[in-house]
């Protein structure tokens, strides 16, 4: 059961992310001590209040970069940062490209987004153009077979699975794979670096006769060996209000897909901080 205090705090973050919110303010709004609130929030959402707030701010910054012509300084102010330099450094470090580079067409084309108000999975034809790896040069030798348990009663779905170093990723996965018209079953990821990763699966269920699509999402920890076959399982469910928003692109300055695009424009691009 989701605790009402956590839902209230999440609603406050979503409504006031552009303000200089602090942990003490959030705790006082739900009448809980700072220590108890922080522990309760992390137990419910999997991340601290501060990381949830950062996820909301970066999600909104990405949305504005991709869907508006606002300049970066206006976006900085609208998502709760006071310094363009600080925002640019944090954004570049987290995302792997500068805010200006994030406006390249391929970023939007290969965007994966899940939030309470917006869900998107790129078409599988676009994913094939992205290559095997994205956002990382850490090509590995492991193979991961993931059993995906999709929600019962929903139609087949286009499914995308990525492996991330962070449970709330801001840049692309170290490896990914996708499948169309899939029910529950196995999906394999190859070229995976050895280590412990967060597997995130997103499914878009196409409902005949309905406007739009239904989405489901699932998280799990995957241990991948350097060689041979590793296994794991992800159980998908409808998005929940306690899920931190995710917006990652499979286009990257480091991937073969985006290197071709960037080669023609390199003189005009700034280096990532």
């Amino acid at each position: 059961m989701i605790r009402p205090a956590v839902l209230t705090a999440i609603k406050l973050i979503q409504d006031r992310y552009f303000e200089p919110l602090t942990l003490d303010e959030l705790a006082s709004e739900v009448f809980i001590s700072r220590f108890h609130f922080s522990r309760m929030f992390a137990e419910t959402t999997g991340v601290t209040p501060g990381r949830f707030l950062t996820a909301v701010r970066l999600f909104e910054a990405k949305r504005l970069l991709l869907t508006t012509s606002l300049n970066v300084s206006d976006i900085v102010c609208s998502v709760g940062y006071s310094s363009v330099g600080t925002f640019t450094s944090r954004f570049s470090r987290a995302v792997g490209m500068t805010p200006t580079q994030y406006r390249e067409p391929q970023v939007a084309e290969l965007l994966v987004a899940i939030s309470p108000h917006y869900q998107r999975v790129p078409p599988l034809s676009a994913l094939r153009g992205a290559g095997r790896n994205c956002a990382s040069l850490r090509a590995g030798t492991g193979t991961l077979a993931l059993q995906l348990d999709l929600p019962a009663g929903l139609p087949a779905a286009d499914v995308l699975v990525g492996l991330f170093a962070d449970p709330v990723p801001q840049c692309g996965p170290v490896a990914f794979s996708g499948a169309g018209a899939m029910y529950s079953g196995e999906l394999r990821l190859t070229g995976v670096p050895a280590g412990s990763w967060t597997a995130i699966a997103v499914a878009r269920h196409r409902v005949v006769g309905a406007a739009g699509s239904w989405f489901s999402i699932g998280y799990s920890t995957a241990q991948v060996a350097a060689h041979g076959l590793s296994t794991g399982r992800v159980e998908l469910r409808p998005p929940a209000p306690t899920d931190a928003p995710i917006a990652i692109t499979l286009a990257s300055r480091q991937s073969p897909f985006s290197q071709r695009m960037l080669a023609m424009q390199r003189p005009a691009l700034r280096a990532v901080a």
Side-chain angles (χ1 to χ4, degrees):
M1 179 178 178
I2 300 175
R3 297 174 178 177
V6 174
L7 292 176
T8 299
I10 289 174
K11 183 66 164 54
L12 285 169
I13 289 172
Q14 293 169 339
D15 291 344
R16 297 167 51 190
Y17 62 86
F18 47 84
E19 298 179 11
L21 290 173
T22 66
L23 178 59
D24 287 334
E25 286 180 277
L26 289 171
S28 66
E29 289 281 357
V30 294
F31 306 103
I32 297 175
S33 73
R34 181 178 184 222
F35 173 79
H36 185 55
F37 168 71
S38 183
R39 185 177 60 183
M40 179 192 303
F41 193 98
E43 289 174 350
T44 304
T45 67
V47 296
T48 65
R51 292 199 66 187
F52 198 101
L53 174 60
T54 296
V56 171
R57 285 174 170 169
L58 286 177
F59 184 94
E60 290 300 319
K62 292 174 179 178
R63 181 183 65 82
L64 292 172
L65 286 168
L66 293 176
T67 62
T68 75
S69 59
L70 292 171
N71 60 46
V72 173
S73 61
D74 289 335
I75 292 174
V76 167
C77 294
S78 66
V79 298
Y81 290 90
S82 57
S83 165
V84 174
T86 298
F87 170 81
T88 299
S89 295
R90 291 180 179 177
F91 186 95
S92 301
R93 187 166 54 249
V95 178
M97 60 184 76
T98 66
T100 300
Q101 290 165 349
Y102 205 79
R103 282 181 148 156
E104 296 293 342
Q106 286 82 356
V107 170
E109 180 185 3
L110 294 175
L111 184 71
V112 181
I114 296 291
S115 79
H117 309 296
Y118 182 70
Q119 298 89 35
R120 183 183 188 275
V121 174
L124 294 180
S125 58
L127 294 180
R128 284 190 285 271
R132 181 182 56 79
N133 257 4
C134 56
S136 174
L137 294 177
R138 294 186 59 185
T141 56
T143 298
L144 176 65
L146 278 177
Q147 172 64 34
L148 302 180
D149 298 327
L150 276 65
L154 290 182
D158 293 340
V159 180
L160 174 66
V161 179
L163 299 182
F164 301 88
D166 194 299
V168 187
Q170 299 299 339
C171 61
V174 297
F176 72 91
S177 185
M182 183 178 180
Y183 292 95
S184 294
E186 182 182 281
L187 192 63
R188 293 199 175 193
L189 293 83
T190 59
V192 182
S196 179
W197 307 104
T198 296
I200 301 179
V202 180
R204 177 179 58 207
H205 305 264
R206 297 193 177 277
V207 183
V208 177
S213 306
W214 293 347
F215 285 79
S216 56
I217 189 168
Y219 303 79
S220 73
T221 299
Q223 302 289 339
V224 180
H227 302 284
L229 180 66
S230 302
T231 60
R233 180 181 294 270
V234 181
E235 183 176 349
L236 283 80
R237 53 165 174 74
T242 51
D243 294 329
I246 295 173
I248 63 102
T249 181
L250 301 181
S252 166
R253 295 182 69 245
Q254 297 176 325
S255 70
F257 176 74
S258 60
Q259 287 286 11
R260 293 194 295 270
M261 177 269 292
L262 291 168
M264 299 180 293
Q265 304 173 354
R266 192 172 301 278
L269 292 177
R270 297 169 51 194
V272 174

